[in-house]
Amino acid sequence: MGGECCKVVLAVIFPPFGVCAESGCGCDLLINILLTCLGWLPGVIHAMYLIFGREKHHHYHQGNAA
């Protein structure tokens, strides 16, 4: 939970930092940088989706695989 709070704070301050902490350097980071260039809010929304939306999706699929 503590790591998630740090990611959220980073995502609000500068969205690509939060995405990099969550997903690493990759396609998600590039998309977030482009969205952040369009405006701060689209970058924050995308970062929050990656931090919160993917976590639930990942846990759901892990539970079904076992």
Side-chain angles (χ1 to χ4, degrees):
M1 181 70 174
E4 190 173 289
C5 283
C6 291
K7 291 177 198 174
V8 169
V9 169
L10 286 172
V12 170
I13 294 171
F14 188 63
F17 287 159
V19 172
C20 188
E22 176 68 23
S23 302
C25 295
C27 187
D28 289 330
L29 181 61
L30 180 61
I31 291 169
N32 191 268
I33 290 170
L34 293 173
L35 287 170
T36 303
C37 286
L38 293 174
W40 173 79
L41 189 59
V44 171
I45 291 171
H46 180 251
M48 294 301 167
Y49 167 75
L50 292 176
I51 293 168
F52 293 111
R54 281 205 176 161
E55 180 178 318
K56 292 177 184 176
H57 183 73
H58 180 68
H59 286 294
Y60 175 76
H61 284 292
Q62 269 188 340
N64 286 340

